[in-house]
Amino acid sequence: MSVQTTSAPIEKPPVTEVGVIGWLRANLFNSPFNSVLTIACFALIVYILQAILPWALFKAVWSGTPKDCQVEGVGACWAVVSEKNRFTLFGRYTYDEQWRPAVAILLFLGLIGLSCFRRFWGKALIWAWVSQVFIWAILMWGGVLGLKFVSHEQWGGLPLTLMMSVVAIVVAYPIGIVLALGRRSDMPVARSLCVAYIELIRGVPLISVLFMASVMIPLFFPEGVTVDKLLRAQIGFTMFLAAYLAEVVRAGLQAIPKGQYEAADALGLGYWAKMRLIVLPQALRLVIPPMVNSFISTFKDTSLVIIIGLVDLLNAGKIAVNDPPWRSFYVEMYVYIALIYFAFCFTMSKFSQRLERDLSKATSR
Amino acid sequence: MTDRRSGATAVTEKPKTAFWNDRDVRAVIFQILIVLGVLAVGWYLVHNTLANLEQRKIATGFSFLGREAGFSIGESLIPYSAADTYLHAIWVGIINTLLVSVIGIALATVLGTVIGVARLSTNWLVARLASVYVEGLRNIPLLLQLFFWYSLVSEALPPVRQALKLVPDYVFLSQKGLRVPHIVDHAIYGWMGLLVLVGIIGAFLWRRAAARHQEATGKLRPVFWPTVGLLIGPAALLWLVTGAPLTLEKPELRGFDFRGGGTLSPEMIALLIGLVTYTASFIAENVRAGILSVPKGQWEASRALGLPNGRALRLIILPQALRVIVPPMTSQYLNLTKNSSLAVAIGYPDLVSILNTTINQTGQGIEGVALIMAAYLTVSLSISAFMNWYNKRIALIER
C-alpha cells in the first residue's frame, strides 16, 4: 500500500469555464433558446449598424453648404447642425450678445454639477439656486451693469428651456409643499381645496393647462394689464408642476413614522414648528430621488411650449431646418436636439439612481 | 390625527386656554380666512373676466355648440362634414382620442412587458439591448419623438405612386399612410359576433366549473384549449357552414391616390408609434420592478413543486408581481391618454386639436378649456376606477 506524499497538481479550470469563452457561455449561450436569441440580437445589431454607421459617420458631410450635402451617395449632413447651431441654441437672441446666454448655461451646468455632490448639500446650495435665478435675469435681460437690454420676446433655445424648468421648480416647490401639507391637514375646507386642485390639474394633459394659461389669464386681469406670453406659459407650467410635486411630497410625509409626529407633539411644538423642524426635513430627504425624476419630466415637458409658439430648444431647431436650402436635413437636426435632451436627462436619471442607492444604504444600516 | 385628538380629549379634561390659543378655534378661524381669500380672488377673477368678455363682445355659455362648425376633419370614425355642428365635431375628437388611447394602451402593454422581461433576461445581449431601448426613449421628449416619426412617415416614405407593397396587392405604405384592404360587410357577420358573445359566456362558465372541479377533486381539467374553442369555434363553424363568405375590398391605385380599402393616416401612424414606444419604456420599468419584487424563493419553491417554468410564471410569479405592477401601470395608461393630446402638434384631429380650432373660431376659450378638462377628467377617472377595481381584485388577501 503506498501513500501519496505529493499533493495532486492544481488543475487549471477548463478553458470553457473562464475568460472570454466562459463568459460567453455563461451569458450568451447558456441554453439553446438563449443561443438563438443571442444570434438573433447579434444579427439585429449588425443590421442596424450597417444601416446607420455609413450614413451617420463614414459618408457624412461635416461642414459646408447645402450643395455639398445634396451630392448623390453622401450620408448625414451634419453641416446643418454646425451652420444652425447658434440659432438652435440661442433662438432669436441678439447675435452679438449671445455670449450672455452661453455664460448663463455654463453657470447652470456648474451649479448642477455642484448639486450632484452631497458634500455641498446645505443652505448655501439652496441660496445659490435662488440667486442663480436673479443672475440669469440680469444676464438675459441686461439693461444694467452696462449690458445691452434684450427683450424676453427674443429669448429662445436652450436657455429658455433651462430657465423655464428651473423657475418652475423653484416656484412650484414651496407651493407643492403647502399643497401636500394641506392635503394631509385635518381641516376639511383646506383639505378639500387642495385635493380639488391637485386632482384637477393631474387629471388633464399639460397642453390643456398651457392652453388655459394662454387663453384665460389675459381675461383674468383688468383692462390695461397685459401678461406676456412667456409669463403665461411659465404660470401654467408652474401650476402643473406644483400639483405633481405635491403628490411626491405627500408620499414623503406618509413615510414618516407616526412616532415622529407624536414626539414633536410631546415636545410641545406647534404645527408649523413641528413640520419645519421635524417632519419636512425627513420627508423631503426621502423623496429626493422622485423629485429628481420630476425635474427630468419637467425638463422634457418644456418642449410643449412650442404649441403656444415659444421658441424653446425644440422649436428653435424646427425653425432652423425650415430654412429652404436645409429643409431636407430635419433628421440630423432632430438627432442633435435629441442628443442634447438625452445628455441632460440621462445624467440626471443616473444621478437619481445613484442617490437612491446611497440613501437607501444610509437608512438600512 | 383627528381621532387621536378627540380620543385624548375624552380622557383628559380640556385645559382652559384663551380662545385664540385653542387649536379647534384657530382651525375654524383659519379655514374661514381661506374661504374668504378664495372667494375674494375668485370674485376678482370672475369680475375681470366678465368685464373683459363684455368688452370683447364674446357671448358666454355653450350655445355655440349647436352652430355649424365649418371646418373639415381629416379622419373620423363616424360620418362628419363641415356642415355639422361644433358638438358633432367635438364628439369626433373624443372618439379619435379614445381610439388612439385604446390601441396605444394595448400595444404599449405588450411591448413594455416584452422589454421589461427582456431586461431581466439571463442573456447579456438581450438585457443590454433592452436597457439601451429604455434609457434612450425615456430620456428624450415625447414631442421630439413625435416630430421625428411624423417627418419620417410623411417625408422619407415614397409618394403614393411608388408605395411600398408590404403585402403585394393588399397592403401599401406611402406618404399618405398605410392602406389596408377593407372587409365588405356580410349579413352573417352580425350573427358571428353574437356567437362570440355566447362563446365568452360559455368559456367563463367552463372555467368556473373547472375551478370548482379542481377544488372538489384536486384534478385539473383542460382550460386553455376549450376556452379558445368556445370563443371562436361556433362563429368559425357558422362561417364555414355558410360557405366562408369573405370579400376583401382591395385598395387600388387610381390616378393620384388609392381607392377603396381602409387607411391609417400618417398622423395616426406617427402618433401611435411615438406613444407606444415611449410609454413602453416606462411600462418596461414597472414590469421589471414587479417581477424583481417577487422573492427568489418563490421561483425555487415552484420548481420544487415540479411546476414547469411557464406555469410557475403564470400561477406563482405573475399573480404576485401584478400587485406591484398594476398601480404604476394605471398612471402609465393615464399618461398615455393624456399624452395623446400632443397629437395637436402633428395634426391628428384629437379632442384637444378640435377644441383648439373651435376656440380660435368662436373665441370661447373658457368653455373650450372647460370641455377639454371635463372630457379628460371623465376618461382619467374611468381608467383609474377600472384599474382600482382590478387592483382590488388581485390585491393580496391576507388571512
Side-chain angles (χ1 to χ4, degrees), chain A residues 332-352:
Chain A
E332 289 84 341
M333 190 47 104
Y334 285 154
V335 168
Y336 173 60
I337 300 172
L339 284 178
I340 298 180
Y341 274 108
F342 181 81
F344 275 97
C345 297
F346 185 68
T347 320
M348 284 193 277
S349 119
K350 279 283 154 233
F351 166 69
S352 106

mmCIF file of all heavy atoms in Angstrom, chain A residues 332-352:
data_model
loop_
_atom_site.group_PDB
_atom_site.id
_atom_site.type_symbol
_atom_site.label_atom_id
_atom_site.label_comp_id
_atom_site.label_asym_id
_atom_site.label_seq_id
_atom_site.Cartn_x
_atom_site.Cartn_y
_atom_site.Cartn_z
ATOM 1 N N GLU A 332 -31.120 65.038 -39.126
ATOM 2 C CA GLU A 332 -29.878 65.400 -38.450
ATOM 3 C C GLU A 332 -30.162 66.364 -37.301
ATOM 4 O O GLU A 332 -29.626 66.233 -36.203
ATOM 5 C CB GLU A 332 -28.900 66.045 -39.438
ATOM 6 C CG GLU A 332 -28.296 65.083 -40.448
ATOM 7 C CD GLU A 332 -29.193 64.868 -41.665
ATOM 8 O OE1 GLU A 332 -30.406 65.159 -41.569
ATOM 9 O OE2 GLU A 332 -28.684 64.398 -42.697
ATOM 10 N N MET A 333 -31.033 67.349 -37.591
ATOM 11 C CA MET A 333 -31.334 68.330 -36.561
ATOM 12 C C MET A 333 -32.051 67.683 -35.376
ATOM 13 O O MET A 333 -31.696 67.924 -34.222
ATOM 14 C CB MET A 333 -32.202 69.438 -37.180
ATOM 15 C CG MET A 333 -32.399 70.634 -36.293
ATOM 16 S SD MET A 333 -30.880 71.212 -35.555
ATOM 17 C CE MET A 333 -30.517 72.641 -36.512
ATOM 18 N N TYR A 334 -33.017 66.837 -35.669
ATOM 19 C CA TYR A 334 -33.735 66.169 -34.577
ATOM 20 C C TYR A 334 -32.782 65.307 -33.763
ATOM 21 O O TYR A 334 -32.871 65.253 -32.533
ATOM 22 C CB TYR A 334 -34.873 65.306 -35.130
ATOM 23 C CG TYR A 334 -36.076 66.098 -35.587
ATOM 24 C CD1 TYR A 334 -36.926 65.611 -36.562
ATOM 25 C CD2 TYR A 334 -36.371 67.330 -35.027
ATOM 26 C CE1 TYR A 334 -38.028 66.326 -36.986
ATOM 27 C CE2 TYR A 334 -37.464 68.054 -35.442
ATOM 28 C CZ TYR A 334 -38.286 67.556 -36.421
ATOM 29 O OH TYR A 334 -39.376 68.275 -36.834
ATOM 30 N N VAL A 335 -31.861 64.629 -34.442
ATOM 31 C CA VAL A 335 -30.905 63.783 -33.713
ATOM 32 C C VAL A 335 -30.060 64.648 -32.787
ATOM 33 O O VAL A 335 -29.839 64.310 -31.617
ATOM 34 C CB VAL A 335 -30.015 63.000 -34.698
ATOM 35 C CG1 VAL A 335 -28.855 62.353 -33.972
ATOM 36 C CG2 VAL A 335 -30.827 61.951 -35.429
ATOM 37 N N TYR A 336 -29.624 65.805 -33.300
ATOM 38 C CA TYR A 336 -28.791 66.695 -32.497
ATOM 39 C C TYR A 336 -29.542 67.163 -31.248
ATOM 40 O O TYR A 336 -29.029 67.092 -30.123
ATOM 41 C CB TYR A 336 -28.367 67.886 -33.357
ATOM 42 C CG TYR A 336 -27.636 68.981 -32.633
ATOM 43 C CD1 TYR A 336 -26.429 68.720 -31.982
ATOM 44 C CD2 TYR A 336 -28.128 70.282 -32.597
ATOM 45 C CE1 TYR A 336 -25.758 69.726 -31.325
ATOM 46 C CE2 TYR A 336 -27.463 71.296 -31.948
ATOM 47 C CZ TYR A 336 -26.276 71.017 -31.307
ATOM 48 O OH TYR A 336 -25.618 72.014 -30.653
ATOM 49 N N ILE A 337 -30.781 67.627 -31.443
ATOM 50 C CA ILE A 337 -31.568 68.103 -30.298
ATOM 51 C C ILE A 337 -31.835 66.960 -29.328
ATOM 52 O O ILE A 337 -31.729 67.117 -28.107
ATOM 53 C CB ILE A 337 -32.897 68.719 -30.773
ATOM 54 C CG1 ILE A 337 -32.609 69.882 -31.702
ATOM 55 C CG2 ILE A 337 -33.714 69.197 -29.603
ATOM 56 C CD1 ILE A 337 -33.841 70.416 -32.365
ATOM 57 N N ALA A 338 -32.145 65.796 -29.908
ATOM 58 C CA ALA A 338 -32.396 64.636 -29.041
ATOM 59 C C ALA A 338 -31.169 64.344 -28.188
ATOM 60 O O ALA A 338 -31.293 64.028 -27.004
ATOM 61 C CB ALA A 338 -32.756 63.418 -29.887
ATOM 62 N N LEU A 339 -29.973 64.480 -28.775
ATOM 63 C CA LEU A 339 -28.758 64.205 -28.009
ATOM 64 C C LEU A 339 -28.598 65.195 -26.857
ATOM 65 O O LEU A 339 -28.185 64.819 -25.759
ATOM 66 C CB LEU A 339 -27.528 64.260 -28.921
ATOM 67 C CG LEU A 339 -27.362 63.033 -29.818
ATOM 68 C CD1 LEU A 339 -26.152 63.195 -30.714
ATOM 69 C CD2 LEU A 339 -27.239 61.778 -28.981
ATOM 70 N N ILE A 340 -28.940 66.469 -27.099
ATOM 71 C CA ILE A 340 -28.837 67.456 -26.017
ATOM 72 C C ILE A 340 -29.787 67.077 -24.881
ATOM 73 O O ILE A 340 -29.388 66.993 -23.709
ATOM 74 C CB ILE A 340 -29.183 68.873 -26.517
ATOM 75 C CG1 ILE A 340 -28.197 69.290 -27.603
ATOM 76 C CG2 ILE A 340 -29.162 69.859 -25.365
ATOM 77 C CD1 ILE A 340 -28.459 70.685 -28.146
ATOM 78 N N TYR A 341 -31.056 66.818 -25.239
ATOM 79 C CA TYR A 341 -32.023 66.428 -24.197
ATOM 80 C C TYR A 341 -31.540 65.169 -23.490
ATOM 81 O O TYR A 341 -31.600 65.073 -22.266
ATOM 82 C CB TYR A 341 -33.398 66.165 -24.820
ATOM 83 C CG TYR A 341 -34.246 67.394 -24.983
ATOM 84 C CD1 TYR A 341 -34.486 67.930 -26.228
ATOM 85 C CD2 TYR A 341 -34.828 68.011 -23.883
ATOM 86 C CE1 TYR A 341 -35.278 69.057 -26.391
ATOM 87 C CE2 TYR A 341 -35.619 69.128 -24.036
ATOM 88 C CZ TYR A 341 -35.839 69.649 -25.296
ATOM 89 O OH TYR A 341 -36.619 70.757 -25.439
ATOM 90 N N PHE A 342 -31.070 64.212 -24.288
ATOM 91 C CA PHE A 342 -30.650 62.947 -23.703
ATOM 92 C C PHE A 342 -29.519 63.171 -22.712
ATOM 93 O O PHE A 342 -29.525 62.611 -21.615
ATOM 94 C CB PHE A 342 -30.207 61.969 -24.801
ATOM 95 C CG PHE A 342 -29.786 60.646 -24.277
ATOM 96 C CD1 PHE A 342 -30.734 59.695 -23.954
ATOM 97 C CD2 PHE A 342 -28.452 60.353 -24.082
ATOM 98 C CE1 PHE A 342 -30.359 58.475 -23.448
ATOM 99 C CE2 PHE A 342 -28.065 59.128 -23.567
ATOM 100 C CZ PHE A 342 -29.018 58.191 -23.258
ATOM 101 N N ALA A 343 -28.533 64.014 -23.103
ATOM 102 C CA ALA A 343 -27.388 64.245 -22.221
ATOM 103 C C ALA A 343 -27.867 64.764 -20.859
ATOM 104 O O ALA A 343 -27.456 64.256 -19.807
ATOM 105 C CB ALA A 343 -26.424 65.238 -22.858
ATOM 106 N N PHE A 344 -28.770 65.734 -20.886
ATOM 107 C CA PHE A 344 -29.262 66.289 -19.617
ATOM 108 C C PHE A 344 -30.044 65.234 -18.827
ATOM 109 O O PHE A 344 -29.785 65.004 -17.650
ATOM 110 C CB PHE A 344 -30.173 67.493 -19.892
ATOM 111 C CG PHE A 344 -29.417 68.775 -20.063
ATOM 112 C CD1 PHE A 344 -29.101 69.249 -21.323
ATOM 113 C CD2 PHE A 344 -29.019 69.512 -18.960
ATOM 114 C CE1 PHE A 344 -28.404 70.428 -21.486
ATOM 115 C CE2 PHE A 344 -28.324 70.690 -19.110
ATOM 116 C CZ PHE A 344 -28.008 71.155 -20.388
ATOM 117 N N CYS A 345 -31.021 64.621 -19.495
ATOM 118 C CA CYS A 345 -31.934 63.730 -18.769
ATOM 119 C C CYS A 345 -31.220 62.470 -18.282
ATOM 120 O O CYS A 345 -31.446 62.016 -17.166
ATOM 121 C CB CYS A 345 -33.111 63.346 -19.646
ATOM 122 S SG CYS A 345 -34.113 64.741 -20.111
ATOM 123 N N PHE A 346 -30.352 61.922 -19.134
ATOM 124 C CA PHE A 346 -29.683 60.682 -18.749
ATOM 125 C C PHE A 346 -28.771 60.934 -17.556
ATOM 126 O O PHE A 346 -28.739 60.138 -16.616
ATOM 127 C CB PHE A 346 -28.876 60.149 -19.938
ATOM 128 C CG PHE A 346 -28.254 58.816 -19.692
ATOM 129 C CD1 PHE A 346 -29.051 57.691 -19.567
ATOM 130 C CD2 PHE A 346 -26.885 58.682 -19.595
ATOM 131 C CE1 PHE A 346 -28.488 56.453 -19.339
ATOM 132 C CE2 PHE A 346 -26.315 57.436 -19.359
ATOM 133 C CZ PHE A 346 -27.117 56.330 -19.232
ATOM 134 N N THR A 347 -28.041 62.063 -17.570
ATOM 135 C CA THR A 347 -27.173 62.375 -16.436
ATOM 136 C C THR A 347 -27.995 62.484 -15.161
ATOM 137 O O THR A 347 -27.653 61.892 -14.131
ATOM 138 C CB THR A 347 -26.446 63.707 -16.679
ATOM 139 O OG1 THR A 347 -26.070 63.762 -18.037
ATOM 140 C CG2 THR A 347 -25.242 63.839 -15.803
ATOM 141 N N MET A 348 -29.091 63.232 -15.248
ATOM 142 C CA MET A 348 -29.904 63.404 -14.042
ATOM 143 C C MET A 348 -30.477 62.067 -13.586
ATOM 144 O O MET A 348 -30.555 61.800 -12.385
ATOM 145 C CB MET A 348 -31.036 64.393 -14.314
ATOM 146 C CG MET A 348 -30.565 65.828 -14.341
ATOM 147 S SD MET A 348 -31.940 66.982 -14.294
ATOM 148 C CE MET A 348 -32.427 67.059 -16.000
ATOM 149 N N SER A 349 -30.881 61.226 -14.550
ATOM 150 C CA SER A 349 -31.519 59.983 -14.141
ATOM 151 C C SER A 349 -30.502 59.035 -13.517
ATOM 152 O O SER A 349 -30.782 58.373 -12.518
ATOM 153 C CB SER A 349 -32.252 59.368 -15.327
ATOM 154 O OG SER A 349 -31.763 58.110 -15.658
ATOM 155 N N LYS A 350 -29.277 58.983 -14.067
ATOM 156 C CA LYS A 350 -28.226 58.159 -13.454
ATOM 157 C C LYS A 350 -27.930 58.668 -12.053
ATOM 158 O O LYS A 350 -27.758 57.899 -11.100
ATOM 159 C CB LYS A 350 -26.946 58.214 -14.298
ATOM 160 C CG LYS A 350 -26.961 57.295 -15.479
ATOM 161 C CD LYS A 350 -26.702 55.858 -15.055
ATOM 162 C CE LYS A 350 -27.301 54.920 -16.030
ATOM 163 N NZ LYS A 350 -28.165 53.902 -15.676
ATOM 164 N N PHE A 351 -27.887 60.016 -11.946
ATOM 165 C CA PHE A 351 -27.613 60.623 -10.641
ATOM 166 C C PHE A 351 -28.680 60.217 -9.640
ATOM 167 O O PHE A 351 -28.383 59.838 -8.504
ATOM 168 C CB PHE A 351 -27.554 62.142 -10.796
ATOM 169 C CG PHE A 351 -27.610 62.884 -9.500
ATOM 170 C CD1 PHE A 351 -26.552 62.819 -8.605
ATOM 171 C CD2 PHE A 351 -28.721 63.646 -9.170
ATOM 172 C CE1 PHE A 351 -26.610 63.496 -7.410
ATOM 173 C CE2 PHE A 351 -28.773 64.320 -7.974
ATOM 174 C CZ PHE A 351 -27.715 64.243 -7.092
ATOM 175 N N SER A 352 -29.948 60.251 -10.084
ATOM 176 C CA SER A 352 -31.016 59.941 -9.135
ATOM 177 C C SER A 352 -30.962 58.465 -8.737
ATOM 178 O O SER A 352 -31.255 58.112 -7.596
ATOM 179 C CB SER A 352 -32.368 60.329 -9.710
ATOM 180 O OG SER A 352 -33.108 59.220 -10.106
#
